[in-house]
Amino acid sequence: MTTIDDPTAAHDLGPEPDAGPPDRISPLGQALREATAGRWGHVRDRARRTLPVELMQRDPGLTMPQARDWTRDTLATLTGRGFTTSGYPVAYGGMDDVGRSAVDFEMCAHGDLSVTIKSGVQFGLFGGAVASLGTQWHHDTYLRDIVTLELPGCYAMSEIGHGSDVSSLETTLTYDEETDEIVVHSPTASSMKAYIGGAAVDARMAVVYGQLVVDAQSHGVHAVMVPVRDEHGQALPGVALGDHGPKGGLAGVDNGTLMFDQVRVPRRMLLDRYGGVTSEGDYVSDIDNPNRRFFTMLGTLVRGRVCIAGAGAVAGRRALSIATRYATQRRQFSAPGHDGDVLLIDYLAHQRKLLPRIAQAYALMFAQNQIVDRLQDLHETDNKDQEAQRELETRAAGLKAVSTRFGNDTIQVCREACGGAGYLAENGLTLIRRDADVFATFEGDNTVLLQLVAKGLLSNYKEMFGDLDMFGMLQFAARSFGGAVIERTAARPVIDRLVEATRVGSGGDPLHDRGWHVEMFEDRERHVLETLATRLRRAAKNSDDSFEAFNSAQDHVLLAARAHMDRVVLEAFVQGIEDCSDPVAQDRLSRLGDLYALSSIEADSAWFQQHNRLSATRSKAVSAAINELCRSLRPDAVELVEGMGVPEEWLNSSMLVEPHWTP
Ligand SMILES: Cc1cc2nc3c(=O)[nH]c(=O)nc-3n(C[C@H](O)[C@H](O)[C@H](O)COP(=O)(O)OP(=O)(O)OC[C@H]3O[C@@H](n4cnc5c(N)ncnc54)[C@H](O)[C@@H]3O)c2cc1C
């Protein structure tokens, strides 16, 4: 075991002047970066200045074994530089700065996503489980080695048979009173742990989830630490390890399988913060309700979801940074009055592909900053407000779903926006596309997460026990839901002022009136939620089959979650615009805010028209306003992507021959 005399030593990056020069960007790009910097803007700046480009770019031509080696080495270097472990307590080599750790992760995602995910597995999932589900003994015994990468680990939750439905895991963790041990066993073929990052090659220890059985009684899903490899990399007795081999992406992450044949570990290896076994062999937990206990344990995943939300959005921003720069360099077809062939960015169709997505990227940056703030605030609070915690978990689930959806859709659009060049690996987009793809699936499948959001809304975060039981959802709709109250976000005072101004009648063009945007989003959310509750109530009354009752409204459930998240993200954007102190940057943000809101209204115009919120004439005006906003933002297209914070040198795209701006 390593000892660290000075626990903060790993993070001593040297004095600020040693850092490299800031990347060369335009004054507007810089002002936009500052406007979106958030509480940890200095961490972002520092990463941009100090991380060398070779740590951020993986050669897309590496074979899988080479990619795994490169990823492992790069992660070790980044860890040595203190870029991966800031969320851990100072006593174990971290900085006890949870917010910063989410931002560090986001900065890592500006580079290679295999390194990012490998880091997430070691420090977020494996180490995170030990930190949040373990107690003092686990912390003192393991956290230092986890933080220094001396003890590489994996997080073995998913099984072949059950991925999203974690409560039904089949692995058993049976307490043996005779020997005071936990017996870890995979009783069926479908109980094989699958997809597990680190299982194929590197992990020496696993946090294994399974059903805890004490005295022949099951107490639901718990987690236990199980050594799986010796120091030479050989599987330990009773542990069968497999390698998934090549995947759709993330070539540098060694995903694999685990099976256990009556593997015994001492009782104290059980991560027993929320439930454990006494030396007398009794099961004990401070949380009596098994569903609530399970949900509390899963709640510790919240940081991972916040991190993947950030990384998914960054993947989209990287793609936009490449495609937008390319669009200002690439010409196709001549046109009268044009000096040479027309630049791609001058085509309205091209502007329509890129600029509304840039607007959405900004919206998500502000929303991400807000959730990281909230994560840190709750982390710092001694007396945890359970409702606030549930709200954070719900919002993290929702933001993870919308940000990774944004990332994946945007990357594909950007790939196509670069034509054949976009399809060449040397231009950067195909690797991002491959690697970000699975973000929609892990850390919670997006469809499943959106259902959790709807459940949180229906229950008003009060009684969200269990993971995703349909019966519970119906009960909430039937009992607790007495009309939709739009819940507060941090931006509420600003929002109230804007909405009030709209109601009084500012006399301006409503299409560019932020109060009107907010009202439209709120109205949609409230209506969708109220009608969902009514529909579920009616279905529950007319059917004994809770599955059928819930399933018949599942489209509506997902719509409610999306409408909610759209409003939450818009409010974060509105607050960001208000807070911007640079007038030029504020003007551009303001136009981007309009573009984000109007694009969402346009995408949902059928709903707004069907529900008499938008006339056909106003709907046409919305589309015309979007075209006009695209036209007006086009001259600043590159400055807008500079503001999104991805340094040009990190883009790893051969086709971007002309650096945009030199002082
Ligand atoms: C590259 C990679 C790395 C991973 N790393 C890890 C790891 O380190 N540790 C770990 O424990 N796990 C890991 N996972 C597993 C991951 O968390 C699961 O794949 C994920 O939870 C989804 O589970 P599943 O694959 O069983 O999909 P399923 O749950 O079978 O979902 C399949 C489809 O069914 C839909 N669906 C499922 N339930 C519902 C429902 N109730 N209503 C409507 N639609 C539904 C989903 O939306 C999805 O489209 C990893 C996966 C991958 C691909």
Side-chain angles (χ1 to χ4, degrees):
M1 192 190 298
T2 20
T3 48
I4 300 173
D5 295 327
D6 172 3
T8 58
H11 300 284
D12 183 7
L13 304 179
E16 195 65 52
D18 286 346
D23 53 333
R24 292 174 304 169
I25 59 171
S26 63
L28 175 57
Q30 183 59 31
L32 287 166
R33 265 191 203 178
E34 282 163 21
T36 52
R39 211 198 295 189
W40 285 270
H42 59 290
V43 173
R44 296 194 165 100
D45 276 344
R46 179 161 215 142
R48 278 189 284 260
R49 284 172 183 229
T50 56
L51 288 176
V53 73
E54 61 273 15
L55 291 184
M56 306 305 276
Q57 297 178 355
R58 170 163 47 102
D59 175 353
L62 294 182
T63 62
M64 186 185 76
Q66 288 169 335
R68 287 177 173 181
D69 288 346
W70 182 87
T71 300
R72 185 186 310 110
D73 293 347
T74 306
L75 179 61
T77 308
L78 286 174
T79 301
R81 286 168 169 248
F83 273 100
T84 52
T85 54
S86 46
Y88 285 89
V90 174
Y92 304 113
M95 301 172 87
D96 200 21
D97 193 339
V98 170
R100 178 181 176 141
S101 74
V103 173
D104 281 341
F105 189 84
E106 188 189 304
M107 291 316 295
C108 206
H110 283 69
D112 178 61
L113 292 177
S114 279
V115 174
T116 310
I117 296 308
K118 186 97 178 150
S119 167
V121 167
Q122 172 72 12
F123 302 112
L125 293 176
F126 170 59
V130 176
S132 43
L133 300 181
T135 48
Q136 199 66 46
W137 180 82
H138 305 103
H139 298 172
D140 290 344
T141 311
Y142 295 111
L143 282 185
R144 278 191 195 84
D145 285 355
I146 291 173
V147 164
T148 56
L149 266 172
E150 284 286 308
L151 179 62
C154 65
Y155 182 84
M157 179 183 264
S158 305
E159 297 175 356
I160 285 281
H162 296 95
S164 300
D165 180 9
V166 181
S167 62
S168 300
L169 294 179
E170 294 174 77
T171 300
T172 49
L173 318 176
T174 309
Y175 177 63
D176 181 347
E177 203 174 348
E178 297 273 298
T179 58
D180 198 24
E181 289 171 320
I182 304 282
V183 184
V184 183
H185 187 60
S186 311
T188 57
S190 56
S191 69
M192 174 191 272
K193 296 290 178 188
Y195 317 112
I196 310 302
V201 181
D202 289 335
R204 286 203 282 115
M205 180 82 81
V207 167
V208 179
Y209 285 78
Q211 307 290 345
L212 178 65
V213 181
V214 182
D215 201 15
Q217 194 190 338
S218 177
H219 294 278
V221 172
H222 287 66
V224 65
M225 298 183 74
V226 184
V228 293
R229 277 194 180 83
D230 63 20
E231 60 275 23
H232 308 296
Q234 298 304 312
L236 290 169
V239 181
L241 299 161
D243 188 337
H244 280 307
K247 308 186 293 292
L250 297 176
V253 184
D254 54 317
N255 295 87
T257 59
L258 299 117
M259 281 202 97
F260 302 95
D261 182 9
Q262 313 282 355
V263 174
R264 291 175 169 269
V265 294
R267 172 172 54 93
R268 65 187 180 187
M269 300 296 268
L270 189 69
L271 295 171
D272 56 355
R273 176 163 170 200
Y274 296 108
V277 185
T278 64
S279 49
E280 287 77 39
D282 298 322
Y283 179 79
V284 282
S285 170
D286 290 341
I287 309 174
D288 292 335
N289 182 320
N291 280 340
R292 185 200 276 258
R293 186 187 316 128
F294 174 60
F295 201 77
T296 305
M297 289 173 71
L298 286 191
T300 58
L301 294 176
V302 66
R303 280 192 217 175
R305 289 186 179 150
V306 168
C307 285
I308 295 296
V314 166
R317 300 209 288 274
R318 284 168 60 196
L320 282 169
S321 300
I322 294 173
T324 306
R325 285 179 156 89
Y326 183 66
T328 62
Q329 299 175 15
R330 171 77 174 167
R331 295 172 185 275
Q332 279 298 283
F333 297 103
S334 60
H338 273 260
D339 186 14
D341 288 352
V342 179
L343 281 169
L344 295 184
I345 195 70
D346 286 325
Y347 289 109
L348 174 66
H350 217 75
Q351 292 168 8
R352 275 274 197 161
K353 284 177 196 166
L354 300 178
L355 287 160
R357 291 182 183 279
I358 291 175
Q360 194 179 359
Y362 272 88
L364 291 172
M365 277 195 279
F366 287 116
Q368 182 70 17
N369 283 347
Q370 230 175 49
I371 202 165
V372 175
D373 280 357
R374 194 83 189 107
L375 184 70
Q376 177 69 19
D377 290 345
L378 280 182
H379 173 71
E380 284 170 1
T381 315
D382 289 335
N383 238 339
K384 303 266 185 273
D385 170 353
Q386 287 307 310
E387 221 168 297
Q389 184 66 26
R390 297 284 98 87
E391 190 181 329
L392 172 72
E393 286 160 18
T394 305
R395 194 151 307 158
L399 198 59
K400 186 270 178 187
V402 297
S403 291
T404 57
R405 178 79 274 135
F406 158 78
N408 283 352
D409 291 350
T410 299
I411 294 163
Q412 181 62 28
V413 166
C414 289
R415 205 297 293 150
E416 292 174 27
C418 295
Y423 201 65
L424 301 187
E426 65 174 26
N427 290 324
L429 288 161
T430 53
L431 191 60
I432 304 176
R433 183 174 61 178
R434 281 207 299 269
D435 288 349
D437 176 333
V438 74
F439 287 17
T441 299
F442 62 28
E443 286 286 349
D445 168 85
N446 282 355
T447 305
V448 174
L449 291 183
L450 287 174
Q451 293 177 70
L452 281 179
V453 172
K455 189 171 171 181
L457 296 174
L458 285 172
S459 71
N460 228 349
Y461 309 114
K462 285 205 172 57
E463 36 176 325
M464 286 184 63
F465 312 147
D467 194 13
L468 193 68
D469 65 310
M470 291 143 203
F471 187 61
M473 186 98 85
L474 290 175
Q475 281 183 322
F476 297 145
R479 284 194 281 108
S480 356
F481 198 82
V485 179
I486 296 292
E487 123 282 305
R488 284 167 296 119
T489 69
R492 202 65 235 175
V494 176
I495 299 297
D496 286 346
R497 179 163 51 72
L498 289 171
V499 170
E500 187 51 32
T502 302
R503 285 190 185 141
V504 171
S506 58
D509 175 1
L511 294 180
H512 298 281
D513 177 348
R514 205 145 296 122
W516 181 71
H517 300 157
V518 172
E519 277 206 310
M520 291 288 274
F521 278 52
E522 280 189 353
D523 201 23
R524 177 177 51 177
E525 178 183 344
R526 192 179 295 111
H527 184 88
V528 170
L529 204 51
E530 274 171 5
T531 49
L532 171 64
T534 308
R535 195 169 157 187
L536 287 176
R537 249 195 308 264
R538 202 176 302 136
K541 217 182 273 173
N542 298 336
S543 164
D544 299 335
D545 180 347
S546 64
F547 170 75
E548 193 41 50
F550 172 79
N551 205 35
S552 63
Q554 208 175 26
D555 57 335
H556 204 147
V557 168
L558 296 174
L559 179 63
R562 272 193 224 103
H564 170 70
M565 288 312 301
D566 278 355
R567 198 260 309 169
V568 165
V569 171
L570 177 70
E571 291 197 0
F573 202 163
V574 169
Q575 183 73 57
I577 296 167
E578 285 283 311
D579 292 344
C580 178
S581 55
D582 181 287
V584 182
Q586 192 180 45
D587 170 76
R588 300 307 186 275
L589 286 177
S590 190
R591 284 191 243 168
L592 287 168
D594 289 354
L595 186 52
Y596 170 70
L598 294 178
S599 299
S600 175
I601 292 169
E602 185 185 53
D604 241 359
S605 70
W607 186 92
F608 283 111
Q609 288 190 59
Q610 281 163 12
H611 294 83
N612 296 323
R613 266 72 176 178
L614 198 65
S615 68
T617 313
R618 178 67 70 87
S619 174
K620 282 185 201 149
V622 166
S623 297
I626 291 173
N627 289 349
E628 179 50 30
L629 281 164
C630 285
R631 196 195 59 73
S632 85
L633 286 164
R634 179 264 171 265
D636 297 321
V638 173
E639 285 80 354
L640 298 181
V641 295
E642 284 176 344
M644 296 191 313
V646 191
E648 201 166 354
E649 311 82 76
W650 290 1
L651 292 176
N652 202 12
S653 183
S654 310
M655 68 188 175
L656 300 180
V657 285
E658 304 159 24
H660 174 66
W661 195 82
T662 34

